[in-house]
């Protein structure tokens, strides 16, 4: 018998859509071209779950150049082009969301640290927009982004749910910290091929359960 919740709040990147490797590749290539010979693995560890702008000091330290609006605009353009061409849903995510949307009478939301345009484009690309219509929340639009709880608190409030009665689904240390700070129960999605954390890291950050496939989530939240 699993816990009882009033609403389910999903992260987007790495939870609903398989975007992390695509975005990370574009970022790594741009950083390499700017003078920082960062590897794929190092890039994942440094930037996963964080906005690029929040790491401006780190980027400037390694490239010796200011992080300009023009550089960011180029990154967004190349990132979006790659996502449009390559993005797919996390295996089992569409079926899990469809099931949970029905089980919770639509009381679900997507709460991401990414910019709204990216989140909404990705949800549309993989056929998930219908389930999150009017319930997409971006950390870019909050006073503070993850690991602060603002985006999850906003999502819970919009659903009329007590954060303590919400379940958050996250895959990054930063995201787990945000969900815990909001007072929610957090479950960590940790596929076997994840390259940016250890399952123990998510547990140490406060995730009360770890699962490795979206079919497990569907089974844990029966109708």
């Amino acid at each position: 018998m699993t816990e009882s919740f009033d609403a389910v709040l999903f992260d987007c990147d790495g939870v609903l859509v398989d975007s992390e490797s695509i975005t990370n590749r574009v970022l790594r290539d741009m950083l390499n071209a700017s003078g920082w010979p960062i590897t794929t693995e190092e890039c994942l560890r440094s930037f996963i779950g964080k906005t690029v702008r929040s790491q401006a000091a780190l980027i400037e330290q390694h490239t010796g150049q200011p992080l300009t609006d023009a550089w960011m605009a180029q990154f967004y353009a190349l990132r979006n082009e790659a996502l449009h061409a390559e993005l797919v849903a996390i295996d089992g995510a569409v079926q899990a969301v469809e099931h949970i949307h029905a089980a919770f009478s639509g009381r679900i939301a997507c709460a991401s640290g990414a910019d709204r345009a990216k989140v909404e484009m990705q949800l549309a690309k993989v056929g998930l927009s219908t389930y999150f219509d009017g319930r997409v929340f971006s950390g870019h639009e909050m006073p503070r982004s993850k690991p602060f709880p603002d985006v999850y608190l906003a999502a819970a409030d919009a659903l009329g749910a007590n954060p303590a009665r919400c379940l958050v689904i996250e895959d990054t240390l930063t995201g787990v910290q945000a969900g815990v700070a909001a007072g929610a129960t957090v479950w960590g999605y940790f596929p076997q091929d994840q390259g940016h954390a250890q399952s123990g890291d998510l547990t140490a950050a406060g995730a009360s359960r770890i699962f490795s496939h979206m079919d497990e989530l569907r089974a844990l939240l029966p109708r």
Side-chain angles (χ1 to χ4, degrees):
M1 192 73 178
T2 190
E3 299 103 316
S4 176
F5 304 104
D6 292 340
V8 182
L9 314 178
F10 293 87
D11 177 41
C12 184
D13 295 288
V15 168
L16 298 176
V17 297
D18 194 5
S19 58
E20 302 285 22
S21 62
I22 300 170
T23 299
N24 187 71
R25 185 189 71 234
V26 173
L27 179 58
R28 178 207 63 201
D29 289 350
M30 284 194 64
L31 291 173
N32 287 172
S34 298
W36 183 2
I38 190 172
T39 67
T40 297
E41 294 73 21
E42 290 168 341
C43 197
L44 275 170
R45 287 196 298 269
S46 296
F47 292 94
I48 200 80
K50 304 170 186 174
T51 66
V52 175
R53 283 194 185 277
S54 74
Q55 300 302 97
L58 182 65
I59 293 172
E60 291 169 355
Q61 174 190 340
H62 284 275
T63 63
Q65 305 172 38
L67 184 67
T68 64
D69 289 343
W71 195 96
M72 287 301 305
Q74 182 184 11
F75 166 66
Y76 287 143
L78 292 174
R79 177 202 69 184
N80 290 349
E81 180 181 352
L83 289 170
H84 273 294
E86 303 172 38
L87 186 72
V88 295
I90 291 290
D91 191 29
V94 174
Q95 295 86 348
V97 168
E98 179 182 25
H99 170 89
I100 293 166
H101 183 271
F104 284 79
S105 301
R107 290 167 66 83
I108 68 172
C110 180
S112 172
D115 54 284
R116 174 176 294 275
K118 178 192 179 197
V119 177
E120 293 184 340
M121 176 270 286
Q122 292 183 138
L123 294 177
K125 172 79 175 172
V126 302
L128 284 172
S129 291
T130 301
Y131 302 108
F132 295 104
D133 186 31
R135 295 181 303 281
V136 173
F137 300 86
S138 166
H140 284 222
E141 299 168 2
M142 304 295 152
R144 305 168 300 177
S145 193
K146 299 175 185 179
F148 295 99
D150 303 35
V151 71
Y152 281 121
L153 293 174
D157 182 65
L159 293 174
N162 181 341
R165 296 281 300 162
C166 291
L167 172 64
V168 164
I169 308 300
E170 270 285 357
D171 71 317
T172 68
L173 180 62
T174 304
V176 171
Q177 291 169 334
V180 170
T185 297
V186 182
W187 289 356
Y189 170 60
F190 189 83
Q192 296 305 312
D193 60 351
Q194 189 184 64
H196 57 77
Q198 300 296 321
S199 61
D201 297 335
L202 302 185
T203 302
S208 62
R209 185 190 293 268
I210 303 294
F211 65 99
S212 62
H213 195 281
M214 285 296 160
D215 288 349
E216 295 176 56
L217 178 61
R218 187 167 42 164
L220 287 165
L221 296 172
R223 282 192 174 90

